[in-house]
Amino acid sequence: MSRSRFFVLWLAASLFCLWLYWPGMKCWFQQDDFAWLGLGLNVHTPAGLLDALFAPKAQGTIRPWSERAFFMGFFALFGLDALPYRILVFTTQVANLGLLIAISRRVTGSTLAAALAPLFWTANAALGLPMSWTSAYNQILCATFLLGAFYCLLRWTESGAWRWYAAQWTVFLLGFGALEINVVYPAIAAAYALLASRRHFVLTLPLFAASGAYAILHRSLAPGTREGPYAMHFDGSLLSTLATYWYGAFGTARLASLEVPPWLSAAGLVTPWILSAALGAFLAVRLRRGQWAVLWPLAWFLAVIGPVLPLRDHISDYYNAIPTLGLAVLGAWVFAAAWEMRLAGKAAAVLAAGLYLATSAPVARATVRYNFERSRAVRNLVLGVARAHEIHPGKVILLNGVGTDRFWAGMNDKPFRLLGIGDVWLTPGSESTIQAFPALGDVNQFVYPAAATLRALREHRAVVYEAAGPRLQNVTQTYANMAPLRLKATLPGHIDAGNPAFADQLGEGWYQAEGGYRWMAKRASLRLGVASPGGLRLFLKGFCPTTQLSGGPLHLQVFIDGQAYPPVAVSRPDEEFSFSFALPAVLKNKDFVEVVLEVDRTVVPPADGRKLGLAFGNFALRRP
Amino acid sequence: MRRLTLLATAALFLAATPACKRQTAKVETIENEQPQLASAISAGDPAHAVQFVQGFYDIEQGSWRWTRGKFSLTLQAPPGAAQKGAALELKFSLPEAVVKKVGPVTLSAVFDGNPLPSEKYGKDGEQVYQRDIPAGLFRGPSVNIEFSLDKFLAAGAVEERELGIIVQSAALLAK
């Protein structure tokens, strides 16, 4: 393929991508984005930076290029201006399309297939989320590393130049910093060598050693979970999960939930079957002719989807984003082969491709549109709060009517700390209108206590904003008028010890709140509200500076409703600690429990003079 | 290899193009507050949202809200209510899914601590709960009304949320 033809195809694919996902360019931040954006806030030392970049995070992920360095670096450069982040995502995807064209041309030998593969992949619904949610950039960047490494392999097999072999290794190894799925690259490379370039097969085997070493390192740093959605199941469910991903790979699974004509919805149901049959027939014919290379795109799909198959209880549409790249190549190959047939073959190819594009692209577009609107609502909430803070500096900001979607997309991951705003809360009672998702967090932790609300309103220390509309509306006076009617000063089931608003719930033995924590003396007490007893546990979190452990581990004993629990040891310096205790089966009081904390010794810092036990952040009663 | 290097350079250049920290955009808030509560409120109007006190989910399609099994709202007493009384009116829709699953539903209301006669609804579709409120129950400028359903869809029955009825509006009408 000539260079000019390559650039024309690349431009066409890029423009199609830009057109289909344009709302994704204008998306703002949501959900995990805020957690990643805030990663650098606590980095003050080189060691802290290394920890922020490489220490395993949620579900044991270590993704410095696609998440940590990306978000930390861009936040330092651009703050909460989302456009540069989105430009990088789109630029990376454009690079992917170029690589895909070059690879498809070499694997299939067809320029037509090289032109269609990026279009088919772009139109796949699985790309909707990665193209509209910045936290899913790992999918896009991982594809770049996999495609880049494989492109180098192809150039090496063609030219025999060792610099391409070395480049393949470099790109492959760097890919581990994008996404763990990179571990499957050796299978992709070996499959190609085995099927299309057998004399290079042996030299793909060392790649497995690198993946093996990474897998061992990853498992040692981030052991897998045995419970919850991320538990792995190696049983018959592997096949059913594979079937789900295969069916979903044609992008039509969510079509029925969109407002589309009934005929299109019905077409979406049969499309996976028709296209599967077409792919199967093509493979059968070519394999009978001994053209084993046609299996390689299928091998790509199976290799990349393989690692998520044991996650039976965590099936996500966007996990298909990289695997479907292989199916796009295969589909384009089938189309190019049919195009060489008579009119009936050409017509069937156009019909099948049209069916796929008409049923998958609308789902991709709807996903992007949904994330665009969702993220803009979050933007109005977060930047609205920033404006409210500017107008009412120093006041507690209470948000009413936030609702389920905006809470989980725009408040749960604490975006306000990125703007240096601390006191932003939900109005009491908001928790009743926000759907609970215990796996994501606890709404109650964000609710300002009723008694503190009444007091803050009385003393003009709080402003209340209604968040149900597109813009925040100041309703302080209206809310203050209604507050005595609507608020019962019940005791919350949680305490943010570092926040003076919760001081009512603390008994003796506490010092003033400082820096988000509150120190206890040798013995301290508190009171937590019980809304509905049964199965509750007390969860507590705190922080232990090195000075407290100069005499060895510190022992903390907890008494709940007078019942003593076995002491627990706090032994890790300069780290957060957390413990949980089951509540007694029978409580003395219906509405609350008394908790007493006692440490076996205190430390008196010379410049301080106070007898300090431990510093506490949160206490909460909840079900595990 | 040269093409690959070119690609990487182009990507880095494009990403770095806007590399000057821009001011975070501003989103204005609405600060001019309505001076008092309304005596007629629409579930779809964000300006009235603060009066839908508890048990209401987000506004849907700009016009209605699902409730839980218990929900409450606050209304301004209409002019002259303390002398002549008023009529309480709750317009809602009883979804087919609820009636099919739990059968007829009884709606009860407590008006500022005073129970009102409840009403049973057996058919799905648009409904109105209407009660005369005697003048004696108006003791202040606004009132709190707590509603409860004897049957509703428990969380997880149809969807993850607990679902009651679909409220469109509530009002205290002057006599």
Side-chain angles (χ1 to χ4, degrees):
Chain A
M1 183 164 50
S2 69
R3 187 167 292 184
S4 58
R5 186 172 287 185
F6 169 82
F7 279 110
V8 168
L9 295 186
W10 192 14
L11 183 67
S14 303
L15 289 175
F16 177 59
C17 176
L18 212 56
W19 169 75
L20 187 61
Y21 295 113
W22 183 246
M25 183 70 95
K26 298 181 286 177
C27 280
W28 207 65
F29 305 104
Q30 55 173 312
Q31 279 183 264
D32 301 24
D33 293 347
F34 298 115
W36 294 122
L37 288 166
L39 203 58
L41 295 180
N42 298 321
V43 173
H44 308 295
T45 60
L49 179 65
L50 282 178
D51 187 67
L53 282 172
F54 298 109
K57 286 282 188 299
Q59 291 90 46
T61 59
I62 311 167
R63 302 165 185 171
W65 320 142
S66 60
E67 285 171 354
R68 301 165 193 212
F70 167 45
F71 276 101
M72 283 168 68
F74 269 51
F75 185 66
L77 284 170
F78 310 113
L80 287 177
D81 183 359
L83 185 63
Y85 299 72
R86 303 306 309 156
I87 288 176
L88 182 72
V89 174
F90 273 71
T91 306
T92 312
Q93 182 62 2
V94 164
N96 286 343
L97 297 176
L99 286 165
L100 182 56
I101 291 168
I103 288 169
S104 302
R105 176 68 181 84
R106 285 175 167 81
V107 170
T108 66
S110 160
T111 303
L112 182 57
L116 290 175
L119 298 187
F120 288 168
W121 186 43
T122 299
N124 196 281
L127 280 176
L129 190 74
M131 291 304 289
S132 54
W133 184 32
T134 309
S135 281
Y137 177 53
N138 54 57
Q139 299 288 321
I140 304 292
L141 191 63
C142 179
T144 313
F145 282 107
L146 290 177
L147 287 167
F150 186 70
Y151 176 77
C152 295
L153 172 82
L154 288 177
R155 296 301 301 267
W156 170 59
T157 58
E158 283 170 3
S159 65
W162 287 99
R163 67 175 192 277
W164 285 108
Y165 183 71
Q168 175 203 220
W169 265 97
T170 308
V171 178
F172 163 54
L173 292 176
L174 285 172
F176 285 114
L179 188 65
E180 300 77 42
I181 290 288
N182 189 66
V183 79
V184 307
Y185 175 71
I188 292 171
Y192 178 79
L194 200 62
L195 296 165
S197 185
R198 204 156 290 179
R199 68 193 172 88
H200 295 101
F201 174 68
V202 175
L203 279 174
T204 62
L205 296 180
L207 296 166
F208 284 98
S211 280
Y214 175 82
I216 291 167
L217 179 74
H218 185 253
R219 293 295 286 186
S220 66
L221 288 173
T225 52
R226 292 177 182 219
E227 288 176 354
Y230 290 96
M232 294 190 143
H233 303 272
F234 293 94
D235 50 29
S237 65
L238 289 171
L239 281 178
S240 60
T241 308
L242 175 62
T244 305
Y245 278 115
W246 177 267
Y247 189 84
F250 299 95
T252 62
R254 307 266 176 227
L255 192 63
S257 61
L258 304 182
E259 284 181 20
V260 293
W263 65 266
L264 190 59
S265 192
L269 293 176
V270 297
T271 299
W273 301 104
I274 293 172
L275 297 181
S276 296
L279 297 180
F282 172 77
L283 288 175
V285 170
R286 292 295 174 109
L287 289 176
R288 271 179 61 186
R289 292 185 202 159
Q291 294 175 344
W292 297 99
V294 292
L295 284 176
W296 176 77
L298 197 61
W300 174 294
F301 174 81
L302 292 172
V304 185
I305 203 68
V308 297
L309 294 183
L311 300 174
R312 179 191 71 190
D313 304 325
H314 187 74
I315 294 178
S316 291
D317 293 351
Y318 80 99
Y319 282 172
N320 250 336
I322 312 174
T324 50
L325 211 151
L327 294 188
V329 175
L330 188 58
W333 204 341
V334 176
F335 188 100
W339 198 250
E340 287 168 5
M341 296 161 73
R342 291 182 185 168
L343 189 64
K346 286 186 172 72
V350 169
L351 203 66
L355 197 60
Y356 166 70
L357 293 173
T359 52
S360 185
V363 182
R365 179 76 175 192
T367 306
V368 175
R369 194 80 220 166
Y370 168 78
N371 278 310
F372 167 71
E373 279 163 10
R374 192 178 198 228
S375 70
R376 298 306 277 194
V378 170
R379 179 180 180 273
N380 286 352
L381 178 76
V382 174
L383 298 185
V385 165
R387 181 71 185 127
H389 179 70
E390 228 172 57
I391 298 169
H392 308 284
K395 290 200 175 180
V396 175
I397 297 172
L398 299 175
L399 299 173
N400 192 62
V402 169
T404 299
D405 206 36
R406 257 180 304 175
F407 174 78
W408 293 112
M411 209 165 158
N412 184 46
D413 288 286
K414 303 182 176 76
F416 308 114
R417 71 200 167 110
L418 301 170
L419 296 158
I421 307 169
D423 260 343
V424 185
W425 299 82
L426 296 169
T427 51
S430 294
E431 67 277 15
S432 73
T433 58
I434 294 172
Q435 194 181 341
F437 293 103
L440 296 178
D442 182 6
V443 183
N444 294 300
Q445 302 281 335
F446 293 81
V447 178
Y448 208 60
T453 302
L454 289 166
R455 199 168 51 241
L457 287 169
R458 212 168 38 239
E459 294 166 0
H460 304 289
R461 287 188 294 102
V463 282
V464 187
Y465 281 85
E466 177 57 52
R471 281 165 63 194
L472 292 184
Q473 180 166 16
N474 190 332
V475 292
T476 309
Q477 196 51 52
T478 314
Y479 190 89
N481 292 341
M482 291 166 54
L485 269 176
R486 65 192 284 172
L487 298 184
K488 291 173 188 138
T490 49
L491 218 52
H494 67 282
I495 295 174
D496 181 351
N499 191 318
F502 291 84
D504 291 349
Q505 291 175 254
L506 301 175
E508 291 179 344
W510 293 99
Y511 295 106
Q512 292 294 313
E514 49 190 310
Y517 289 92
R518 191 186 285 267
W519 281 98
M520 65 175 283
K522 189 165 191 314
R523 187 181 169 91
S525 66
L526 55 99
R527 195 174 272 198
L528 289 160
V530 177
S532 60
L536 286 174
R537 290 183 76 86
L538 166 68
F539 289 83
L540 56 87
K541 260 189 200 172
F543 185 80
C544 183
T546 313
T547 48
Q548 302 306 107
L549 299 177
S550 52
L554 200 61
H555 294 94
L556 169 71
Q557 185 159 28
V558 175
F559 302 81
I560 303 176
D561 253 6
Q563 183 180 315
Y565 286 69
V568 289
V570 180
S571 56
R572 297 172 76 101
D574 284 338
E575 276 190 26
E576 271 202 338
F577 61 84
S578 61
F579 299 103
S580 81
F581 307 87
L583 255 57
V586 181
L587 299 176
K588 285 182 185 167
N589 301 289
K590 196 170 65 136
D591 303 327
F592 66 89
V593 286
E594 289 274 0
V595 178
V596 175
L597 310 162
E598 190 170 341
V599 286
D600 56 354
R601 66 169 188 278
T602 55
V603 173
V604 183
D608 193 304
R610 294 177 299 174
K611 290 181 178 175
L612 302 179
L614 283 168
F616 282 90
N618 296 96
F619 298 91
L621 290 183
R622 62 171 195 268
R623 289 172 186 85
Chain B
M1 183 65 104
R2 205 168 43 144
R3 197 178 295 173
L4 207 64
T5 316
L6 261 173
L7 251 172
T9 313
L12 276 174
F13 175 75
L14 271 171
T17 301
C20 49
K21 192 161 186 171
R22 296 199 298 190
Q23 284 274 314
T24 301
K26 278 193 177 173
V27 171
E28 288 300 328
T29 55
I30 302 167
E31 293 291 325
N32 54 335
E33 195 176 345
Q34 286 181 346
Q36 59 180 10
L37 300 173
S39 53
I41 56 177
S42 299
D45 188 345
H48 297 150
V50 70
Q51 292 182 241
F52 290 88
V53 176
Q54 280 198 337
F56 289 90
Y57 293 109
D58 304 357
I59 298 172
E60 292 191 45
Q61 297 182 1
S63 58
W64 44 269
R65 289 168 177 249
W66 271 103
T67 71
R68 299 171 66 117
K70 285 184 179 175
F71 51 98
S72 65
L73 44 86
T74 299
L75 294 171
Q76 175 78 6
Q83 291 79 41
K84 298 184 232 166
L88 168 66
E89 187 181 88
L90 180 77
K91 288 187 177 172
F92 65 97
S93 166
L94 191 58
E96 192 185 347
V98 175
V99 181
K100 267 190 177 170
K101 200 96 177 174
V102 302
V105 167
T106 300
L107 176 64
S108 306
V110 176
F111 188 93
D112 256 359
N114 302 288
L116 302 176
S118 51
E119 190 160 342
K120 195 173 188 174
Y121 299 90
K123 279 189 181 172
D124 60 270
E126 303 296 313
Q127 308 286 357
V128 181
Y129 175 85
Q130 199 162 25
R131 290 289 175 269
D132 277 334
I133 310 296
L137 296 190
F138 289 95
R139 296 186 201 99
S142 60
V143 292
N144 193 37
I145 308 153
E146 294 169 359
F147 293 92
S148 60
L149 301 162
D150 65 335
K151 286 175 277 181
F152 49 87
L153 295 177
V158 169
E159 58 171 85
E160 304 241 347
R161 297 180 298 178
E162 176 183 308
L163 297 175
I165 57 176
I166 292 172
V167 168
Q168 282 113 26
S169 65
L172 277 171
L173 306 170
K175 281 190 174 170

